[in-house]
Amino acid sequence: MMRLSAGLFTAFLLSGAAFASPPPPLGEHSWCDPLARSIAAAEVTSYKGVKIAQMVVNGKPTKVRARVYHCRPNRTRTEYIFPPSVTGTVVLRIGTNQWRFSPAQRRWIAESSDTAMESLSLVRRNYRAREKGESIVAGRPATIIALTPKTPGNPSKTLWLDKRYDLVLQSEWRNPAGQVTSWSKFVEIEYNPRNMPDELFEPPDSAAKRCEQRLNRPPFRVVIPGYVPEGYVLAGVSVLPLGHSRAVHVKYTNGLNTISLFERLDERASERRPANVPDFRAGVYSRAISWRHDGLSFTLIGDLDTDELRKIAQSTIAER
Amino acid sequence: MKCGNVRKLLSDHLDDELPANVKVQVDEHLAACPDCANEHARLAMLLEDLSRMGGAAAPWDFWPDVRKRVEVAALRQRLWPRFVLIVRRPLVAIPAIATAAAIAALVTWTILPPGTARVARTDRAYYADYARAYSHYRSQQLLADPDVMAAAVEIADSSMQEDVGE
């Protein structure tokens, strides 16, 4: 009864949002919480559609078009159509497992099966969620939700949620400086389609699954940074096979944004060198710095101010 | 609407995928043009025959496989005539190839320090794997769009391979 009363009260607050300025934050643990409903939406709704996205790759804005098939609760297949450099790539996700068909290599590659640390309370601790009105996306009415970081120096996010099915129809990332770094939106969507063959979601054979299985034991003493920005928590450490060697992936999250530190043994890293910025070209939409120190090679990737990345880097040198 | 434009739209017309205003224009043209009407009827029959044949679901790698084959065929078609021209003129081709190889070897030997090319490629391969792992981890966050992450890494990967010449 108490929860229902709280929910009705929050609904009352939201209904009055149009008259207030600025609108109040969305309620936590509320039955009318659109974020919670959005997270659960894909588990109860199947769909197929066409999605377009734009992201900055190597400093250039790049547009992508893909066909997406989702079979509830957790099977998704994405077929990339455009640009030509990704045409033919297929990504299949079943739960936390992911396989990628590479047309260049003509084979399926199993990717990480780590379990992500998902926590809406962590998102709420670090971001303010506000309703910003309504619009139409792919012909469907959507509610706009803005997520702004409570700590400066972090990226922000805006979501367009289907008013009936709660699914994210459109999303937009802005970097800490407020510039849009990536967006995606459905241009066509059909809910609970009839003709979606089960074969679309069949994982590749067991040989492909085995080819990139993760190894669990770190091959050296892992360095944990002495400093991470406010709001970030250690989400886990995993071992990543890289050809004949292995790297350790140290992961942090604030609920929406992530920081990754990669460490590997490197015979060329015997000298002590300060953190620097080499010719790192994998700067997909985030910043990265790389350095060698005391027998190890480090690479730090995150959508953060470069000064913050440097502080994290310096703290690993101190720890070592 | 001209016949050429109408014929390009016939398939979509039969699939009922044309916007309403375009469909009206195509219908009007078909009513007035016997040639296009015949083509429309022929295409409709063909589709009817195909649908009667039934069909099995395509294998999971059908689409990428087709794309690859089309690419390879197109490349062969483009390169083959040039190759034939070169082979037919050995007096021109052999000295040219030998000179190019000698210049490339000389440049590589004198300008690049030993092992440079191999080291650069290895580092980039590491970075590509890191970017992929980072991206995958990020795509597992709440409210993330994994399709954006995966596409960004694919594009970055392909541009890296172009740079390295793989």
Side-chain angles (χ1 to χ4, degrees), chain A:
Chain A
M1 189 63 190
M2 284 291 284
R3 277 181 80 178
L4 185 63
S5 306
L8 287 172
F9 179 65
T10 314
F12 171 73
L13 285 180
L14 286 177
S15 66
F19 304 103
S21 180
L26 297 169
E28 189 169 352
H29 305 306
S30 157
W31 59 270
C32 67
D33 176 3
L35 285 183
R37 288 205 315 264
S38 160
I39 289 161
E43 289 177 21
V44 293
T45 311
S46 297
Y47 58 85
K48 69 175 181 181
V50 176
K51 188 185 262 187
I52 56 171
Q54 181 169 297
M55 72 267 331
V56 177
V57 182
N58 297 333
K60 284 185 286 189
T62 308
K63 256 194 179 153
V64 171
R65 192 176 181 92
R67 262 186 225 103
V68 183
Y69 304 88
H70 175 77
C71 183
R72 65 184 188 187
N74 63 359
R75 297 188 295 166
T76 309
R77 177 188 176 100
T78 307
E79 298 177 346
Y80 291 93
I81 307 165
F82 182 85
S85 57
V86 297
T87 307
T89 300
V90 180
V91 175
L92 180 64
R93 287 185 293 276
I94 301 177
T96 57
N97 289 312
Q98 178 169 307
W99 295 269
R100 174 175 55 93
F101 180 80
S102 161
Q105 298 178 46
R106 294 182 55 75
R107 67 183 181 110
W108 285 90
I109 299 158
E111 302 200 310
S112 168
S113 58
D114 297 337
T115 307
M117 187 180 128
E118 292 182 350
S119 165
L120 189 54
S121 62
L122 189 61
V123 177
R124 295 209 170 279
R125 199 191 308 161
N126 291 310
Y127 287 84
R128 281 187 195 90
R130 285 183 193 281
E131 199 172 317
K132 283 182 68 182
E134 294 177 3
S135 77
I136 302 289
V137 182
R140 300 201 53 84
T143 307
I144 305 169
I145 307 286
L147 292 160
T148 48
K150 292 180 182 172
T151 311
N154 281 295
S156 57
K157 186 160 197 170
T158 307
L159 302 166
W160 283 253
L161 307 180
D162 190 299
K163 287 193 79 170
R164 181 173 171 198
Y165 290 98
D166 301 311
L167 199 82
V168 179
L169 293 172
Q170 182 174 344
S171 65
E172 182 184 275
W173 266 106
R174 287 176 185 271
N175 66 14
Q179 299 156 322
V180 176
T181 50
S182 70
W183 57 258
S184 70
K185 67 176 180 181
F186 278 100
V187 286
E188 291 169 25
I189 189 157
E190 180 187 350
Y191 289 106
N192 302 315
R194 284 182 198 163
N195 53 341
M196 204 154 61
D198 218 37
E199 288 86 350
L200 284 174
F201 306 101
E202 268 179 21
D205 59 35
S206 54
K209 279 182 203 163
R210 276 201 306 271
C211 71
E212 293 203 5
Q213 270 182 350
R214 298 290 183 256
L215 304 164
N216 293 323
R217 199 163 44 139
F220 50 84
R221 192 173 73 82
V222 179
V223 180
I224 301 294
Y227 168 83
V228 284
E230 191 185 333
Y232 286 83
V233 295
L234 181 65
V237 176
S238 61
V239 177
L240 187 66
L242 302 166
H244 297 296
S245 65
R246 286 180 286 169
V248 169
H249 184 182
V250 184
K251 305 164 192 175
Y252 292 89
T253 180
N254 74 348
L256 294 184
N257 195 34
T258 61
I259 303 169
S260 287
L261 173 65
F262 297 93
E263 306 173 12
R264 68 180 163 88
L265 286 172
D266 187 346
E267 68 275 14
R268 288 177 296 148
S270 51
E271 315 157 31
R272 286 175 181 253
R273 290 189 202 170
N276 57 10
V277 185
D279 60 340
F280 189 86
R281 291 291 307 276
V284 176
Y285 36 75
S286 303
R287 293 191 171 92
I289 58 173
S290 207
W291 66 98
R292 294 190 171 97
H293 180 77
D294 206 12
L296 292 179
S297 171
F298 296 85
T299 296
L300 182 64
I301 311 180
D303 201 354
L304 290 172
D305 287 336
T306 310
D307 285 347
E308 286 287 9
L309 288 179
R310 284 185 189 281
K311 276 169 81 174
I312 301 169
Q314 291 294 350
S315 76
T316 62
I317 292 171
E319 289 291 316
R320 184 79 175 161

Side-chain angles (χ1 to χ4, degrees), chain B residues 14 58-59 70 87 101 112 115 139 155 164:
Chain B
L14 286 165
V70 169
V87 170
L112 297 177
S139 72
I155 295 166
V164 176

Side-chain angles (χ1 to χ4, degrees), chain B residues 28 34 41 66 80:
Chain B
E28 283 172 0
V66 168
W80 183 247

Side-chain angles (χ1 to χ4, degrees), chain B residues 21-41:
Chain B
N21 59 333
V22 181
K23 186 174 182 302
V24 169
Q25 289 180 47
V26 172
D27 284 339
E28 283 172 0
H29 183 93
L30 291 176
C33 175
D35 286 349
C36 288
N38 282 341
E39 181 64 19
H40 184 261

